[in-house]
Amino acid sequence: MSPSSAPTAAPTATRPAQVPFAAALGRFGGAPAVILRDRVLSYRDLSARVDALAERLGPVPRLVALAASNDLGSLVAYLAALAGGHPVAVVPADKPQALDSLLAAYDPDVVLRGGAEPVLEERRRGSIHVLHPDLALLMSTSGSTGSPKLVRLSHANVQSNAEAIAEYLRIGPADRAATTLPMSYCYGLSVINSHLLRGAALVLTDHSVVDPCFWEDFRTGGATSFAAVPYTFELLERVGFANMELDGLRYITQAGGRLDPGTVRRYAELGAERGWDLFVMYGQTEATARMAYLPPHLAATSPGSIGVPVPGGSFRIDPVPGLEHGELVYAGPNVMLGYAEGPADLAAGRKVTELRTGDLARQTEDGLYEVVGRRSRFVKIVGLRIDLGRVEAMLHELGVQSAAAGTDERVVVAVEDGHDPVLLAKLLSQGLGLPRGALQVMPVDALPRLENGKIDYPAVRALDTGEAAAPAGPAVPAETAAGAAPREDAKAIFRDTLDLEEVGDGDTFVSLGGDSLSYVAASIRLEKALGHLPADWHVTPVGRLVPQATAPSAPARRWRPARPAPLETGIVLRAVAIVCIISSHVGFFSWQGTAHVLMAVCGFNFARFQLGGERLPRLRRHLVSLTRIVVPSVAFIALAYAVTDRYTPANIALLNAIVGPAEITEQWHFWFIELLAYILLCVAALLTIPWAHRAERRFPFGFPLALAGVGLLARFGVLDPQVPHTMPVLWLFGLGWAAARARAVWQRVLLTAVAVASVPGYFEDDPKRNAIILGGVLLLVWLRSIPVPSALHRPLGIVASASLYAYLTHWLVYPVVDDYGKGLAVLASLASGIAYWAVATRCMNGAVRLAARIRGGAGRR
């Protein structure tokens, strides 16, 4: 039945049931509720947004489908459904097939999508469904998204489990949780529920823990906790978490699968040293989220235990015939109503009162519970009962990461890291007593995982026959399906742009070491490859950067002007500034001041790309980025010195600003590059000092603002910057840095006030120049993007990428072409800069690759 023709249920005057905490958000008033990169939302603000959307959903309960990401729109949509009494099924927004499956199986009345604001698609005014008054939430089990089988959770389930979690974690108004897990996963929702219940705040982020931007958000937002699944700890090892300085961290929670006891003990001990706790937890979607937790003081001594039941819950162990250990059974107010396998089940009330977990467990002498296996993780082959968990444990003891699945015919084991599958199969066959033909070991680059980080066991089983499903994602672009050349993929673009051999699905542009020079080049190719350029693509895991589905071909239409689409302000300013700089020097038109705007853009980009990680890795990234500026600059200036008589060795050494002539001569041509190099070098050195490193981490907005303040002392002549022949620009760099760190409106207002107070008079008797500088800085402070016709995105991106090189080359190019026309001189200068950009980038990339090979060879020796 189509949505348009479906009958609707008659409205009822009865007020629908609500989840209490979602309906009473406003009671916390002005306390912070949601901390975003660009602003902070109070509980009062959040409540107003939730109430407004709940009113749009209407008083009659309707079945809601929510395609959710970790963004404000998704959060508001979820809370509005709970507060308005509308049963909501939550699926991941980045898995279109999950929503398609839900629509086909349940025909929801309303579809909600997230984003900056929630998007409501009303499929009918009322509801065609009979919805039980207790039904609040529908969730897939264990991260599955293709099955119509859903867990039915009540208002009381959601509320009681949030209360239990908040009690044993001692969550209070001062707590702030970073959202490391997706909202479509019950563990991720439990973090949201338990914190909003107690008036705590959410640092709302969709970044992975491997992204420096995640830790920037963590520190900037004052986060006190984050949630982790076992795979998260593998990622934490990669980013050097043990050496991070996280002064505000109070605890880490872990669930979503068994964590190796050695890892539990190690992180518990690390937490004891650093002043934070590790809460190992146990749960299932069928119990809303959590059933047990291990008190932190026991984590180091009982690392294999799941601990004790959550407040209000209880366990018992029922014998299982033929097995040494019994099945763990849980009872508590958070146990689900039952399963739904189709729309008719939505009318059902409670069908279960306790949860048979399917886990085999034992209780230790000290009263703790310990899971020792899984009933469904046994297969019976040639009369032998094989514990698949034991297969993985055997390989783990050998240092092999693996995942085992199978049927009563064969065990299939996926192994990582290039281990010899023949040798491993032989060892397992002997250890398990299985015939060799009943065991298949398959090497994989990475273990297949679900969205929530758990192993995708159906995908492991499919390896046996080669029928593994292709990764879920948008449809193949039409031009590929039609036989045209396929688009580049994001991994190939990142490998080429950043000179890398391997790029993983969880890597991002920033985590891979991308900087402002490679950013624009990568964005141009990525937009062409994807058909669009996602917001914050530079901090989006590469596995999620997939092409948009291409709509079926439509009849040819008349040409229409390209619609404006947002292009990042920094890219626009870089492109416009270099055109204005060259045009002013050529005399095509005069629009001076944009070079100083570029200095603020440099500070902005420095904050975005250069501040992630710890001190020494960050210094290495700073020096690499500085090298990419200095080397092509010195090479070109040396060429200019050789072919003209305008420059001196001081220019080649980038020292003219210090030792050059006081009067303005041609030797001043490269002042911008010289001062930028000085600033970047000094800031990099400053941030290697422990107290400065800690201060930048603790005060991400205040630190650059203080740096701008120091620069203002030089700007107003209070301090002598010891760079005698140029005007001070450190304060502009600091303002740009602070602009990138500004999250709240008051911070932007403060930066605006500083700019308005300091820019006028910077160039005496040149108010137009000062106005251009002020305008550029304010654009950077207030606008993250500027609408630009999409047809201009690529040309502007190319010009922005080549801006440094065009600045260098135009000094030699335009005097040669000037006699043929000012406009032609500008175009020739830009073209020469683009050409030098292409050549210099290729040479630098080759040097980087060569250095990597040399280091690799030295390491092998």
Side-chain angles (χ1 to χ4, degrees), residues 688-761:
T688 62
I689 303 172
W691 66 262
H693 171 77
R694 290 193 297 269
E696 190 278 325
R697 284 288 186 257
R698 187 171 182 183
F699 307 106
F701 176 74
F703 187 89
L705 193 61
L707 189 69
V710 173
L712 284 172
L713 294 178
R715 179 257 182 272
F716 287 108
V718 179
L719 292 179
D720 184 354
Q722 299 299 315
V723 184
H725 306 308
T726 59
M727 297 183 68
V729 292
L730 174 63
W731 63 285
L732 290 169
F733 183 91
L735 282 180
W737 180 348
R741 287 293 197 250
R743 297 289 181 266
V745 173
W746 71 265
Q747 293 173 325
R748 294 178 178 180
V749 170
L750 177 58
L751 289 179
T752 300
V754 172
V756 170
S758 56
V759 173

Side-chain angles (χ1 to χ4, degrees), residues 120-152:
L120 186 150
E121 176 190 329
E122 194 171 54
R123 307 179 85 222
R124 59 186 63 90
R125 295 298 300 273
S127 178
I128 61 169
H129 302 288
V130 179
L131 304 170
H132 194 279
D134 290 343
L135 182 62
L137 183 61
L138 295 157
M139 298 291 291
S140 294
T141 60
S142 302
S144 62
T145 57
S147 171
K149 185 176 182 179
L150 301 175
V151 173
R152 295 185 294 116

Side-chain angles (χ1 to χ4, degrees), residues 287-431:
T288 310
R290 305 275 69 81
M291 290 183 282
Y293 73 100
L294 180 63
H297 68 278
L298 299 176
T301 55
S302 301
S305 173
I306 63 170
V308 297
V310 301
S314 63
F315 284 129
R316 75 168 189 274
I317 298 176
D318 285 355
V320 177
L323 295 179
E324 177 184 357
H325 300 288
E327 182 179 10
L328 189 64
V329 181
Y330 175 80
N334 51 315
V335 172
M336 66 175 177
L337 298 173
Y339 292 109
E341 299 194 28
D345 295 325
L346 303 180
R350 179 168 294 281
K351 290 191 173 182
V352 296
T353 57
E354 59 184 16
L355 178 62
R356 306 196 70 84
T357 65
D359 287 328
L360 304 176
R362 68 186 183 92
Q363 189 173 18
T364 63
E365 293 181 356
D366 53 5
L368 301 178
Y369 288 86
E370 190 174 297
V371 173
V372 297
R374 178 95 181 142
R375 288 190 69 170
S376 62
R377 295 278 288 145
F378 283 83
V379 294
K380 196 170 186 179
I381 302 177
V382 295
L384 297 175
R385 186 181 291 273
I386 305 299
D387 180 354
L388 297 175
R390 175 58 187 155
V391 174
E392 294 174 356
M394 291 172 63
L395 292 175
H396 183 74
E397 291 170 0
L398 299 174
V400 179
Q401 296 296 317
S402 67
T407 65
D408 286 348
E409 297 178 353
R410 188 194 299 266
V411 173
V412 184
V413 186
V415 296
E416 281 187 354
D417 298 332
H419 295 283
D420 184 350
V422 176
L423 176 61
L424 294 179
K426 182 178 180 180
L427 292 173
L428 287 174
S429 178
Q430 294 173 349

